[in-house]
Amino acid sequence: MDENPTSKSISDQKDIDSSYHFPTLFLVTKAAGWLLLSTLFSLVASIKMHSPTFLSNCPWVTYGVLVPASQNAFLYGFALQAGFAAMLWMTMRLGQVKLRGPGFLFLGTVLWNIALLVGILGLMGGGQSGYAFLSMPGFVYPMLFTAYVLIGGMTLLTFFKRQAREIYPSQWFIYASLYWFPWMLTAASYALFASEPARGVAQAVIHGWYASGMTTIVLGFVGIALLQYLVPKLTRRDLHNSNLSAFAFWVLLLFGGFTGLLQAQALPAWVGTLSSVCNAFVAFAWIVLTANLWKTLQGAGKQNSDPLAFNLVRLAALCGLLGALLNFLGSRPGTAETVQFTLYVQGVYWLQLFGFVGTLLLVAAYHFLPRVSDQESALSGPFGWKSIMMLHATGSILVGLVYVLGGWKQGKALADASRSFLEVQSAAMSFIRISTIGELLVFLAAAVLAVNMTRSLVAYLVGYIKCCCNCKNESAQ
């Protein structure tokens, strides 16, 4: 799909991969560090839900601080940074072009991580805004936008310099995500954090638009692009029908940003109804995407080059489909009032972002890191990529499914006037305790990944310094 051996020699392909070596290691290492921090915050918050005295004397680690800190660390630290790495990789391979402006990319990555660190510290220090996915202090978002101009700009410059002019379906989703994110970030942050911000109902609408756009379009498109890149690569066959991908692309782009405004919110009734209709369109687009991938996968079980990656990609696709269907179910009149303020919403979040996007990003890194680093044995062994991916996928799906089931039962119990609130919460504790096991698995996967990526980055830097010293000694002689 992405390589034409008649147009590029093996040496040219290695030149393309080597141009991306250090930027990849740096981006993925930073992403792994933020994933570790995010899962640690989430694990502690989960423990505090059934053991409230745990770390109760520290105001920096209360439940209300840890949850938004975990969300922002995952979204901006892991998902977007690993997404940048994966999108750059696909751009270079599909376009048969070397990375452009690696210095600007490195500068943008450093600025991005500094801004995010300042934002997380400000959030945990009491400066959180109260908006999900935009919880950091308002001054952080112009810094993130500036860093993104450098990162996204180098990605687009690399795309425009491509030698292979054909554009594949996965690239539609890549560049829509690249254009959509800065627009959403600037529009939402200006409307909510300006000197005269939007007021009243407009705040809830803008916040819901940004949160659903991040989940369905920005990060959702990264996941879909990886699906449509990895499935043909692993099965060694073309995508079944690019027209079906085009149909799903436009449906998701048009309706995906308006799926986060539910019926029970303090908004005009037509807003919730419109959101429910948009959720129906998004679910239908996901059914189309899944059918297209299913047709591509038919009969490919014995032909795939990597059974574990192949099965994890299929599992991630099912998480994406299930998340879209559950979102639609939870937005329907009568159902939204039952599940909106329960564990159900958190379960859908885990399936969509950790189960779908997170798993695919790990599979993508497992696929391209050995190629750009020229180390086929990197992160192998009992604590290598296979353990990381299995732990992450198992834990994410366990948490998501347990929260969805527990949230449904919790909502039904809350609607029962004969049951007290304490009885309902006591019954939900069993689901929360099980979810803690899943969060522990995800944390262990993140810890192993962070340790291995740090070792790889240090080894690269040490080798680079030795190489520079040897070159200086030879020139001196």
Side-chain angles (χ1 to χ4, degrees), residues 362 365-366 369 378-379 383-390 449 453:
L362 291 178
Y366 161 74
L369 272 177
L379 276 77
F383 298 103
W385 276 114
K386 293 184 179 180
S387 301
I388 293 167
M389 293 188 295
M390 288 297 296
L449 177 64
M453 290 307 306

Side-chain angles (χ1 to χ4, degrees), residues 51 62 98 169 194 198 265 291 295 322 345 371 401 403 418 423:
S51 301
T62 60
K98 291 183 181 180
Q265 289 181 313
K295 287 288 187 180
L322 183 59
V345 176
R371 290 166 172 78
L401 293 180
Y403 271 159
S418 64
E423 288 179 338

Side-chain angles (χ1 to χ4, degrees), residues 337-359:
E337 293 83 350
T338 302
V339 302
Q340 183 174 358
F341 300 108
T342 67
L343 298 173
Y344 182 96
V345 176
Q346 196 70 4
V348 176
Y349 165 83
W350 270 84
L351 286 173
Q352 288 185 317
L353 294 183
F354 282 82
F356 171 55
V357 178
T359 300

